[in-house]
Amino acid sequence: MADSTNEQSSFWTQANALLRKNLIFQKRNMKTNIRLVLFPLVLCLLLVLIQVLVNTQLDKPSNRCGCICVDTGKGPCEKKCGIEYSTLEQASSCPIPHPPEWLPLLQVPSPQFRAVRTDFTSYGDLPGDSCRKTGSCPVTTLVTGNNQTFGQTVAGNMFSRPLNIDSSDLLYSLADNALGSETDTRFTNFLDTAFLSNVPIDILQPQCSSNSQISVTIQLGATALEKDIRCAQGLQLWRNSSSEINSELYKGYLKGNPESKINEILAAYDFVNSKDNLFNVTIWYNSTYRSDTGNQPLNLIRVARSINLASNAYLQSLLGPTAEMLFEFVKEMPKPETKLRLDFSSLLGPLFFTWVIVQLFPVVLISLVYEKEHKLRIMMKMHGLGDGPYWMISYAYFLAISSIYMLCFVLFGSAVGLNFFRLNDYSIQFVFYFLYINLQICLAFLVADWFSSVKTATVVGYMMVFGTGLLGGFLFQFFLEDSSFSKAGVIAMELFPGFSLYRGLYEFSQYAFNGNYMGTGGMEWKDLNDSNNGMREVLIILAVEWLVVFGVAYYADQVVSSGTNPLSFLRKKQKNLQSSFRKPSLRRQGSKVFVQMEKLDVDQEREKVEQLLLESSTSHSIICNNLKKIYPSRDGNPEKFAVRELSLALPQGECFGMLGPNGAGKTSFINMMIGLIKPSSGTAYVQGLDIRTDMDRIYTSMGVCPQHDLLWETLTGREHLLFYGRLKNLKGAALTQAVEESLKSVNLFHGGVADRKAGKYSGGMKRRLSVAISLIGDPKVVYMDEPSTGLDPASRNMLWNVVKRAKQNRAIILTTHSMEEAEHLCDRLGIFVDGSLQCVGNPKELKGRYGGSYVFTMTTSPTHEEEVENLVNQLSPNATKVYQISGTQKFELPKNDIRIADVFEAVGNAKSRFTVQAWGLADTTLEDVFIKVAKGSQADSTLS
Ligand SMILES: *[C@@H]1O[C@H](CO)[C@@H](O)[C@H](O)[C@H]1NC(C)=O
Ligand SMILES: *[C@@H]1O[C@H](CO)[C@@H](O)[C@H](O)[C@H]1NC(C)=O
Ligand SMILES: *[C@@H]1O[C@H](CO)[C@@H](O)[C@H](O)[C@H]1NC(C)=O
Ligand SMILES: *[C@@H]1O[C@H](CO)[C@@H](O)[C@H](O)[C@H]1NC(C)=O
Ligand SMILES: *[C@@H]1O[C@H](CO)[C@@H](O)[C@H](O)[C@H]1NC(C)=O
């Protein structure tokens, strides 16, 4: 039966309408947008400024190469220049044309970790663990080979040199000894940590005398280094095979064990098949300290000296103790000056950029909540906007805004030269930001369902922005950098999207910082393989969460927008069962009520509906059949019957007025008809379509003028109508014409009113615009909820004319509290009390039926009240007194009993007997009817 002119608009038509509306909306929001985009720009500039300050600070003369601050003990330090470098920082950036010569060292384990007898090694030749307390444990070397005699002879030569320190040629004489240090190395050897730290250098001897610590002075350019040298006993132990060495080393190297279980050795030698004319050796050494973290360059390892020791010892076993290949010193290559670079943007980046990016969250959220708070979403839905187009366009729209914002952000950052952006591979950045903004939009959709006011959404949104940044910077990063905190724990924290964002930015900044410092690049795709790089997990988490949150948000939105609760699909069955059980009994009860009340008109309407339902086609636009809404009992309150078995048929061209006291169920009825709530039982057909199943198609031929104006403040009247017109499938010239006619009809066309923002309209103009919206696109059925409330009489008249003209070829259901309006506009009226219609009919009929009396009023002095009463009783014995107050009395006189002339005569007589201050005789008004019906049915319901 659907009218062919009200073809349902296609997905793309709806999408197009929404997109155009959004674009205009966005254009109006230009200022906010500019402010939004400026925010990252300002932050980037701020970072650049900080960077400039840091750079000038670093370039200060006091930080120049070749100068050193010498503490003289009194006052500020004294500056000495002309030194090539003095600190680690200077060594890394200053030119070093003559690198210093360092003595070659062995990597000696610290005294408290040197190998001792323990319960997990079976070798009795190791020292007891009491030496760990005094720090005098020997440094162990393990030896094996095919020929034990040969192996032990060679090994015995290693540490056998007598202590020989010649202060005239210190370096040379020291290099003759087996020296070692327990300090960690660095990735260059311009400054050897062993000589700069205050840990003594170990000198390995077969035996140590008790007082074996000496102090030497090593000259380094212009500075002299005081260095302690202490003796450490070199212990060599024979093992039967290399596999024994392997297992012993493995047991002593138990990562993560308590300190007492660490058993470190200096090195191990396997002489294999070495003999007098063959030297074939395998050396074990420890390289674990090479690098602390994955993205740092590798540290040097001290292994050269241990090879030299073995070959020296072999040489001596062949040629005697005087033979020697002296390994005098090691030194780095010379290097030019490099600029000292500290990349501030990378250090502060994660915190600042988290703020920048999360800032989009409240923007999206507020926009969604705005449409929800102002009920615009529902309004659009009622005018035919499907969920699919709504989601697609809203999503694409927010994605576009976010993308543009992020693009500006990255472009600004790169343009002002922040390494954070320039060094890291742009394709990784793109994927990361793209995933995150998608997730963020989905989250906003999900969270928007929980908010009903823009204010709370704003507050919560911005709290989230700052909270995420600060928690990320001061809590999450702490866990991230704490190596003892488990990786799983970090990943668990990253499930919170803000933290995964922070982690990603943190990784970018780490790579940018190190890349800049070392002069290498930032993060590339192959770096995702890096075990310390959390980016891979972050990308996976973001992608998975995006899909999950999208699904949940879409489902939640369906549930919320259709007004059912999330478990509705479970309940449905139960409800249907209930209602089918109850139906017969309620029906009987219902018919009893009809008889009691003699609501013949209501009964007739019901019969008419039953008749109409049997016919296959009908000219009736709306047919309600036993529509019922019961709100389930809650908090101990009984079930509430909002609408009880309502049957009603409206032909095309009729305006039906619904009167009723507040809380009578009018709104529930309208809400069911416009699809906001589902009927508990019964149904209604609009243009032949069932409201339970075909609401989406009904929307295209339906218009709604809600009680409160649901308008976008920044859109003009014309734009509103264009938008809703497009939703109603109007196009091109037809659309323009329809909008113009509509504007003219509600008198908003002239004087540029149509192109003013709706937010600036007066109450009356807004109301008229709402009515125009409800009528655009020629809907066949229109619902108007109190269309003229709060209007001045002139505007009201204007509005009435619009409605009157509009009702010609459509059915209108109108609720109102104004009897005048009802009488003026409606062809039929229904008085709705306590969930059911009390009477139906046109205004005249109703007045005739319920108001078969005149109202007679007379005011006298209180002493004459009785005389007035007598007078009335003479006129009609069936008169009833309606009220009496200090001399004023009101009576109802049945029309059949009296003639008006008699009344005038009687009053004339009375005037001669006593003073009558005022009197009047009036026909009943609709208001009287309304009050009577409302009262009657209430009395009835209290009786039953
Ligand atoms: C083991 O080495 C010693 C000393 O070099 C040599 O005299 C002896 O012959 C070797 N033994 C074997 C079995 O090769
Ligand atoms: C090593 O070999 C010697 C002689 O063959 C033997 O006495 C000793 O028990 C062996 N040691 C181990 C730990 O097997
Ligand atoms: C190797 O060196 C690291 C770092 O100094 C240390 O933790 C580890 O215990 C050493 N391993 C062995 C087997 O000596
Ligand atoms: C040196 O030892 C290895 C085993 O460690 C062996 O494979 C190789 O043949 C030996 N070289 C010579 C020249 O004997
Ligand atoms: C990542 O590492 C694995 C093994 O650790 C290796 O097989 C793979 O080729 C690496 N991939 C890249 C891109 O380097």
Side-chain angles (χ1 to χ4, degrees):
M1 207 200 293
D3 197 304
S4 61
T5 56
N6 285 98
E7 195 72 17
Q8 188 168 9
S9 54
S10 73
F11 184 93
W12 295 108
T13 314
Q14 296 178 25
N16 173 41
L18 185 60
L19 180 65
R20 279 160 180 258
K21 186 225 82 190
N22 278 355
L23 287 182
I24 296 172
F25 190 71
Q26 205 51 39
K27 213 164 70 192
R28 296 283 146 73
N29 257 358
M30 207 39 113
K31 259 190 208 154
T32 323
N33 288 339
I34 291 176
R35 240 175 289 148
L36 186 68
V37 172
L38 280 184
F39 180 64
L41 180 64
V42 168
L43 269 185
C44 286
L45 287 179
L46 184 68
L47 280 179
V48 171
L49 193 72
I50 295 176
Q51 184 74 58
V52 169
L53 286 179
V54 169
N55 286 350
T56 47
Q57 185 66 28
L58 288 176
D59 278 347
K60 271 192 178 163
S62 60
N63 289 321
R64 291 262 169 78
C65 288
C67 293
I68 187 171
C69 204
V70 179
D71 191 2
T72 52
K74 41 185 184 214
C77 64
E78 194 180 292
K79 191 137 99 208
K80 273 192 189 171
C81 285
I83 310 165
E84 278 186 3
Y85 47 85
S86 50
T87 57
L88 280 176
E89 282 72 38
Q90 293 207 352
S92 68
S93 67
C94 292
I96 306 185
H98 311 290
E101 294 165 352
W102 300 110
L103 288 162
L105 297 174
L106 294 162
Q107 185 73 37
V108 173
S110 327
Q112 72 270 30
F113 298 138
R114 289 175 192 166
V116 291
R117 265 201 308 276
T118 59
D119 44 7
F120 57 86
T121 51
S122 52
Y123 297 100
D125 48 4
L126 285 166
D129 63 1
S130 60
C131 67
R132 281 199 170 173
K133 293 197 190 79
T134 58
S136 61
C137 289
V139 177
T140 307
T141 315
L142 301 178
V143 183
T144 187
N146 290 352
N147 185 335
Q148 186 171 0
T149 332
F150 176 84
Q152 277 176 328
T153 319
V154 173
N157 291 334
M158 284 185 184
F159 308 132
S160 64
R161 300 239 146 197
L163 192 56
N164 161 29
I165 295 173
D166 179 359
S167 52
S168 64
D169 194 353
L170 193 64
L171 207 57
Y172 184 90
S173 62
L174 275 178
D176 211 11
N177 298 284
L179 299 179
S181 172
E182 61 190 77
T183 56
D184 281 346
T185 53
R186 298 176 58 81
F187 61 92
T188 63
N189 209 20
F190 291 111
L191 292 172
D192 192 326
T193 44
F195 294 93
L196 296 179
S197 76
N198 45 19
V199 180
I201 301 269
D202 293 302
I203 186 161
L204 297 179
Q205 294 277 300
Q207 282 303 326
C208 286
S209 58
S210 56
N211 184 13
S212 52
Q213 186 142 334
I214 54 168
S215 186
V216 295
T217 307
I218 298 171
Q219 202 64 31
L220 175 69
T223 28
L225 296 173
E226 279 293 308
K227 199 66 215 169
D228 285 337
I229 294 185
R230 71 178 171 201
C231 175
Q233 187 196 347
L235 184 65
Q236 280 155 327
L237 300 174
W238 179 262
R239 294 291 177 254
N240 284 352
S241 67
S242 59
S243 58
E244 273 181 26
I245 291 187
N246 270 340
S247 72
E248 192 175 348
L249 284 181
Y250 175 71
K251 281 182 188 154
Y253 174 57
L254 292 166
K255 206 178 172 203
N257 262 4
E259 279 190 2
S260 62
K261 293 241 171 162
I262 296 176
N263 242 12
E264 295 181 10
I265 60 153
L266 171 63
Y269 298 89
D270 181 358
F271 290 108
V272 205
N273 55 350
S274 300
K275 49 187 186 225
D276 288 353
N277 53 2
L278 174 73
F279 187 53
N280 189 3
V281 65
T282 307
I283 303 178
W284 284 266
Y285 62 91
N286 184 355
S287 69
T288 311
Y289 57 89
R290 274 200 96 170
S291 164
D292 301 314
T293 54
N295 46 18
Q296 302 263 321
L298 294 179
N299 289 334
L300 300 169
I301 43 173
R302 294 183 177 128
V303 72
R305 183 62 168 137
S306 56
I307 302 168
N308 170 257
L309 268 184
S311 34
N312 251 342
Y314 174 66
L315 204 62
Q316 282 171 11
S317 73
L318 292 182
L319 307 177
T322 51
E324 186 176 23
M325 287 186 289
L326 187 63
F327 186 6
E328 205 175 348
F329 56 81
V330 289
K331 74 175 193 177
E332 278 282 353
M333 299 280 219
K335 78 176 183 71
E337 177 168 8
T338 45
K339 210 162 163 47
L340 182 55
R341 289 177 292 199
L342 261 186
D343 187 10
F344 235 77
S345 69
S346 305
L347 286 183
L348 283 182
L351 177 61
F352 276 34
F353 301 158
T354 301
W355 281 337
V356 170
I357 299 172
V358 180
Q359 218 218 155
L360 285 171
F361 180 72
V363 172
V364 178
L365 183 66
I366 288 167
S367 165
L368 287 172
V369 175
Y370 178 86
E371 293 204 329
K372 199 181 145 198
E373 182 184 353
H374 293 88
K375 303 211 170 60
L376 293 164
R377 169 81 197 278
I378 290 172
M379 184 72 179
M380 292 192 284
K381 198 175 166 143
M382 287 185 305
H383 285 89
L385 180 66
D387 285 331
Y390 175 80
W391 264 75
M392 192 192 78
I393 290 298
S394 304
Y395 195 94
Y397 169 74
F398 289 126
L399 186 60
I401 293 187
S402 300
S403 305
I404 292 172
Y405 177 83
M406 288 309 300
L407 191 70
C408 291
F409 175 48
V410 175
L411 285 183
F412 288 148
S414 306
V416 297
L418 296 181
N419 288 321
F420 186 92
F421 300 105
R422 293 186 356 173
L423 290 182
N424 293 309
D425 192 332
Y426 280 109
S427 57
I428 304 184
Q429 295 192 52
F430 174 80
V431 171
F432 173 68
Y433 295 139
F434 182 78
L435 286 178
Y436 182 75
I437 56 180
N438 273 297
L439 173 58
Q440 188 162 265
I441 293 170
C442 293
L443 271 180
F445 270 100
L446 180 64
V447 173
D449 290 336
W450 303 336
F451 290 103
S452 50
S453 113
V454 168
K455 265 187 202 147
T456 36
T458 312
V459 172
V460 172
Y462 281 102
M463 257 163 56
M464 163 118 174
V465 173
F466 289 102
T468 304
L470 294 176
L471 282 180
F474 298 105
L475 181 79
F476 178 62
Q477 185 166 349
F478 171 77
F479 285 116
L480 206 58
E481 287 172 350
D482 179 0
S483 54
S484 66
F485 192 69
S486 77
K487 221 175 156 182
V490 171
I491 288 186
M493 291 176 84
E494 281 170 9
L495 291 180
F496 174 62
F499 285 162
S500 46
L501 171 70
Y502 191 89
R503 177 69 189 271
L505 296 174
Y506 175 82
E507 294 298 344
F508 280 143
S509 78
Q510 289 294 303
Y511 274 86
F513 184 80
N514 289 322
N516 176 61
Y517 191 70
M518 295 323 151
T520 58
M523 192 190 295
E524 285 165 23
W525 281 108
K526 66 174 164 44
D527 294 322
L528 292 196
N529 226 1
D530 209 324
S531 65
N532 284 302
N533 186 351
M535 189 52 97
R536 191 179 37 179
E537 286 85 9
V538 167
L539 291 182
I540 294 172
I541 289 176
L542 289 181
V544 172
E545 278 187 354
W546 173 20
L547 296 180
V548 171
V549 175
F550 184 88
V552 174
Y554 189 75
Y555 175 70
D557 182 71
Q558 296 283 301
V559 167
V560 170
S561 71
S562 66
T564 46
N565 78 36
L567 299 173
S568 56
F569 61 93
L570 289 178
R571 285 227 198 124
K572 224 176 211 165
K573 248 187 189 151
Q574 208 183 343
K575 221 186 248 170
N576 283 347
L577 277 177
Q578 265 180 14
S579 52
S580 61
F581 278 130
R582 273 210 207 147
K583 215 168 182 174
S585 69
L586 261 180
R587 251 224 153 134
R588 233 177 294 130
Q589 203 182 352
S591 51
K592 202 165 73 194
V593 172
F594 293 135
V595 175
Q596 226 173 37
M597 290 286 296
E598 295 176 52
K599 291 191 283 192
L600 285 174
D601 42 1
V602 178
D603 238 5
Q604 266 167 17
E605 188 76 17
R606 182 179 304 278
E607 272 158 24
K608 185 167 136 200
V609 167
E610 273 160 19
Q611 191 61 39
L612 283 173
L613 285 177
L614 296 177
E615 292 170 20
S616 60
S617 82
T618 153
S619 62
H620 283 70
S621 295
I622 299 178
I623 301 172
C624 300
N625 180 25
N626 272 328
L627 201 60
K628 185 154 62 169
K629 180 73 197 171
I630 305 169
Y631 292 108
S633 58
R634 194 172 285 171
D635 304 332
N637 292 327
E639 288 185 334
K640 186 175 181 314
F641 289 76
V643 177
R644 311 166 191 253
E645 317 227 307
L646 177 74
S647 286
L648 189 65
L650 251 74
Q652 225 180 55
E654 181 176 286
C655 174
F656 183 82
M658 227 174 190
L659 303 175
N662 291 327
K666 285 174 300 180
T667 313
S668 293
F669 167 66
I670 296 270
N671 283 349
M672 273 189 282
M673 295 304 291
I674 62 182
L676 289 188
I677 54 177
K678 291 234 181 308
S680 308
S681 76
T683 186
Y685 299 91
V686 175
Q687 298 285 99
L689 299 168
D690 192 331
I691 61 164
R692 289 172 306 181
T693 50
D694 282 326
M695 213 55 222
D696 285 342
R697 283 172 65 201
I698 293 176
Y699 281 141
T700 53
S701 58
M702 182 178 106
V704 179
C705 170
Q707 194 168 353
H708 305 285
D709 302 305
L710 307 183
L711 305 170
W712 284 274
E713 306 230 310
T714 51
L715 296 190
T716 66
R718 186 192 300 278
E719 284 155 0
H720 274 96
L721 290 172
L722 281 171
F723 170 60
Y724 286 112
R726 286 197 188 99
L727 279 187
K728 286 276 160 64
N729 214 11
L730 289 175
K731 288 194 184 86
L735 176 66
T736 335
Q737 197 193 339
V739 167
E740 233 157 69
E741 273 169 15
S742 169
L743 283 169
K744 277 180 189 151
S745 76
V746 296
N747 209 3
L748 286 175
F749 186 70
H750 298 288
V753 184
D755 297 311
R756 286 220 316 258
K757 287 181 191 169
K760 301 233 163 70
Y761 281 9
S762 69
M765 286 153 89
K766 281 187 186 166
R767 233 32 227 149
R768 275 182 279 151
L769 178 58
S770 292
V771 170
I773 288 173
S774 70
L775 294 176
I776 194 148
D778 194 23
K780 293 292 165 233
V781 173
V782 178
Y783 303 94
M784 294 186 178
D785 202 355
E786 306 187 13
S788 68
T789 336
L791 293 191
D792 64 85
S795 313
R796 203 169 54 178
N797 267 325
M798 229 185 282
L799 192 94
W800 285 353
N801 290 337
V802 176
V803 177
K804 256 187 173 166
R805 243 176 292 142
K807 80 181 176 192
Q808 277 161 18
N809 51 355
R810 54 180 63 99
I812 298 180
I813 290 187
L814 183 140
T815 73
T816 184
H817 284 304
S818 152
M819 300 303 142
E820 209 182 337
E821 180 169 88
E823 218 168 341
H824 204 98
L825 293 178
C826 302
D827 306 307
R828 278 204 304 161
L829 292 175
I831 296 180
F832 203 65
V833 181
D834 201 20
S836 53
L837 277 177
Q838 302 301 320
C839 56
V840 183
N842 73 38
K844 284 220 181 74
E845 269 170 34
L846 288 184
K847 272 196 272 183
R849 193 178 318 148
Y850 288 89
S853 55
Y854 293 113
V855 177
F856 176 77
T857 320
M858 184 169 260
T859 309
T860 59
S861 69
T863 46
H864 299 299
E865 274 177 5
E866 225 179 287
E867 280 176 79
V868 175
E869 234 179 302
N870 290 338
L871 179 144
V872 171
N873 281 337
Q874 275 164 21
L875 279 173
S876 157
N878 296 328
T880 49
K881 179 145 65 169
V882 186
Y883 90 34
Q884 163 177 23
I885 200 160
S886 68
T888 301
Q889 298 178 86
K890 203 171 184 179
F891 302 89
E892 275 181 5
L893 311 177
K895 281 183 183 169
N896 303 339
D897 288 6
I898 54 166
R899 287 186 14 234
I900 294 180
D902 296 344
V903 178
F904 276 87
E905 205 187 311
V907 173
N909 286 340
K911 272 183 177 169
S912 61
R913 276 178 283 135
F914 51 88
T915 37
V916 173
Q917 284 159 11
W919 75 280
L921 183 69
D923 203 347
T924 34
T925 59
L926 202 51
E927 205 162 322
D928 297 324
V929 173
F930 175 75
I931 291 171
K932 211 166 177 180
V933 171
K935 249 191 196 159
S937 87
Q938 261 157 21
D940 192 64
S941 67
T942 45
L943 276 179
S944 59

